Amino acid sequence: MGEIDPAFIQAIEHRPKQTIVEAGGIPLIDLSLLNDPDTSDDPRALAGLVAQIGDACKNWGFFQVINHGVSPGLLRGLLTAGKNFFDLPLEEKRKVRRDEENPLGYYDTEHTKNVRDWKEVFDFMADNGTVKPASYEPADQEHQKLINQWPEYPPQLREACEEYGRNVEKLSYKLLELISMSLGLPAKRFNGFFKEQISSIRLNHYPPCPTPELALGVGRHKDPGALTVLAQDDVSGLEVKRKADGEWIRVKPIPDSYIINVGDIVQVWSNDNYESAEHRVVVNSERERFSIPFFFNPSYYTIVKPIEELINDENPAKYKEYNWGMFLSMRKNGNFKKLEVENLQIHHFKITYYGRFHLKYCTYNMM
């Protein structure tokens, strides 16, 4: 990526601190119950697991899981294939470059919060051939079919990506059902939203940065989807803003674990019972870092709104409904260039109540 230029430099208030605050007390949840036929039908044990998930979602917005049922060999194989891809010359990687017309493939100039990220990525859909709205304009009824772009080398990359995606998708459904139960809902209450899901997977590569005190691998943000299932190598870099005091804390990598982020959609579905966690990625001057997030997202035509079972007169809906596919299309528009306005966020659909009356803070029509 060469020497750093001003496009990478964060505003002073958003630059990473030079002192690391190690994460303490982050929920670490053992999912072995779900993969053991001798204990999976134990209602008391399941209730305990559901309670752990609920506490983590409410108090942290993220947690780590172990004994999750995904073979460690799948992740190691994908990390190796991904590294082989990122080691290719830039002109080779750009043969499968993504753009505003095709948002899948290689990219090295992504922006977060209108500042360029110190990273390069390779994006693909969990379900090849996914359909989504062509634009975020409500009057535009055209749809776009998304086709994964696969490089010629390394030849094992496609198979490694597809097999990994199938297995992490199964884990994502298990987590979704646990979250549903933790809200007092039936286990499969959310599953119907994912019949034609637009889940995606990203290979992240963070090269060493000559001035890590000025730049970020990924700027501060919240994930807009339902859940993010993140795998990472042994190089730390993920930081999460702790809700208790707003401090940025470093998440220590645990071998063969996954970090689970509650996304904005779960925040809206839960009507703010759960809140998505703000996070960022710091870089260093000595070691490259790799991570693989699986973004578990519902179908493009899903209308996102608080679940009706969770709202009543005492706890009214806190969000105006919006179309997920159009929301995502508008969010991705800010990935390719610096915008003069804030990127679309769920707070733009927030409803504020004053006594018996309410005011809808909504500047977008996504229906």
Side-chain angles (χ1 to χ4, degrees), residues 119-136:
K119 70 172 189 282
E120 55 181 346
V121 306
F122 179 79
D123 290 322
F124 62 98
M125 301 300 295
D127 182 10
N128 194 28
T130 295
V131 175
K132 77 169 191 65
S135 77
Y136 54 83

Side-chain angles (χ1 to χ4, degrees), residues 324-337:
W324 163 239
M326 293 181 180
F327 180 97
L328 186 62
S329 293
M330 192 166 192
R331 274 288 290 262
K332 286 189 176 297
N333 187 46
N335 288 347
F336 296 96
K337 56 190 175 184

Side-chain angles (χ1 to χ4, degrees), residues 60-73:
W60 289 85
F62 76 102
F63 51 94
Q64 291 177 281
V65 296
I66 56 175
N67 298 320
H68 38 68
V70 179
S71 169

Side-chain angles (χ1 to χ4, degrees), residues 116-171:
R116 187 173 168 187
D117 297 329
W118 190 270
K119 70 172 189 282
E120 55 181 346
V121 306
F122 179 79
D123 290 322
F124 62 98
M125 301 300 295
D127 182 10
N128 194 28
T130 295
V131 175
K132 77 169 191 65
S135 77
Y136 54 83
E137 296 293 342
D140 188 352
Q141 298 300 308
E142 183 180 353
H143 291 88
Q144 176 186 11
K145 191 172 184 178
L146 301 179
I147 303 296
N148 291 327
Q149 297 190 83
W150 300 108
E152 293 183 11
Y153 184 85
Q156 70 271 28
L157 180 64
R158 177 174 183 172
E159 182 179 354
C161 287
E162 291 177 340
E163 186 176 6
Y164 179 83
R166 287 191 294 268
N167 281 267
V168 177
E169 181 183 313
K170 293 176 183 177
L171 172 60

Side-chain angles (χ1 to χ4, degrees), residues 25-85:
I26 292 176
L28 179 63
I29 300 176
D30 189 336
L31 298 182
S32 57
L33 169 70
L34 302 181
N35 305 302
D36 187 345
D38 294 330
T39 59
S40 59
D41 293 330
D42 183 344
R44 182 176 298 181
L46 180 60
L49 177 57
V50 168
Q52 289 183 66
I53 294 288
D55 287 345
C57 291
K58 186 174 183 65
N59 297 319
W60 289 85
F62 76 102
F63 51 94
Q64 291 177 281
V65 296
I66 56 175
N67 298 320
H68 38 68
V70 179
S71 169
L74 291 177
L75 174 58
R76 285 193 286 269
L78 183 52
L79 284 171
T80 298
K83 185 179 188 311
N84 289 339
F85 171 75

Side-chain angles (χ1 to χ4, degrees), residues 96-350:
V96 289
R97 191 174 190 270
R98 56 177 283 208
D99 54 33
E100 294 181 59
E101 295 298 320
N102 185 359
L104 302 175
Y106 174 78
Y107 201 61
D108 61 349
T109 56
E110 188 162 89
H111 290 69
T112 301
K113 302 285 187 180
N114 286 326
V115 180
R116 187 173 168 187
D117 297 329
W118 190 270
K119 70 172 189 282
E120 55 181 346
V121 306
F122 179 79
D123 290 322
F124 62 98
M125 301 300 295
D127 182 10
N128 194 28
T130 295
V131 175
K132 77 169 191 65
S135 77
Y136 54 83
E137 296 293 342
D140 188 352
Q141 298 300 308
E142 183 180 353
H143 291 88
Q144 176 186 11
K145 191 172 184 178
L146 301 179
I147 303 296
N148 291 327
Q149 297 190 83
W150 300 108
E152 293 183 11
Y153 184 85
Q156 70 271 28
L157 180 64
R158 177 174 183 172
E159 182 179 354
C161 287
E162 291 177 340
E163 186 176 6
Y164 179 83
R166 287 191 294 268
N167 281 267
V168 177
E169 181 183 313
K170 293 176 183 177
L171 172 60
S172 300
Y173 272 112
K174 292 178 182 179
L175 293 166
L176 186 72
E177 292 174 7
L178 290 169
I179 289 172
S180 182
M181 288 188 285
S182 74
L183 289 166
L185 302 170
K188 298 185 183 299
R189 177 62 177 86
F190 300 126
N191 290 32
F193 296 120
F194 293 81
K195 288 182 179 178
E196 296 179 90
Q197 60 178 274
I198 51 174
S199 299
S200 64
I201 306 173
R202 164 168 286 187
L203 308 184
N204 282 317
H205 175 224
Y206 304 97
C209 177
T211 53
E213 70 279 5
L214 298 179
L216 288 169
V218 182
R220 74 200 190 283
H221 68 285
K222 296 185 175 185
D223 292 343
L227 294 176
T228 301
V229 181
L230 175 71
Q232 57 180 342
D233 64 10
D234 62 345
V235 180
S236 66
L238 175 66
E239 292 190 340
V240 178
K241 181 177 281 190
R242 187 163 52 197
K243 292 183 181 181
D245 55 10
E247 183 74 55
W248 286 105
I249 57 175
R250 187 76 55 88
V251 180
K252 185 178 180 179
I254 297 176
D256 300 329
S257 70
Y258 285 100
I259 297 170
I260 313 302
N261 290 351
V262 171
D264 287 343
I265 288 179
V266 167
Q267 179 171 331
V268 173
W269 279 342
S270 73
N271 205 32
D272 278 354
N273 281 292
Y274 298 156
E275 182 181 350
S276 59
E278 189 171 24
H279 52 286
R280 67 185 185 183
V281 174
V282 299
V283 289
N284 68 82
S285 60
E286 298 176 355
R287 297 186 64 188
E288 62 183 349
R289 177 176 180 268
F290 296 89
S291 70
I292 306 174
F294 179 100
F295 301 108
F296 193 45
N297 297 329
S299 59
Y300 75 90
Y301 49 77
T302 297
I303 300 300
V304 180
K305 61 182 179 179
I307 297 297
E308 58 185 18
E309 298 97 307
L310 301 179
I311 59 177
N312 51 48
D313 290 341
E314 289 71 35
N315 186 36
K318 296 177 181 176
Y319 293 90
K320 185 182 186 297
E321 63 185 38
Y322 60 89
N323 180 290
W324 163 239
M326 293 181 180
F327 180 97
L328 186 62
S329 293
M330 192 166 192
R331 274 288 290 262
K332 286 189 176 297
N333 187 46
N335 288 347
F336 296 96
K337 56 190 175 184
K338 183 174 181 178
L339 304 177
E340 299 304 320
V341 296
E342 179 188 14
N343 212 339
L344 185 63
Q345 308 289 333
I346 58 170
H347 69 71
H348 291 116
F349 301 90
K350 187 80 172 181

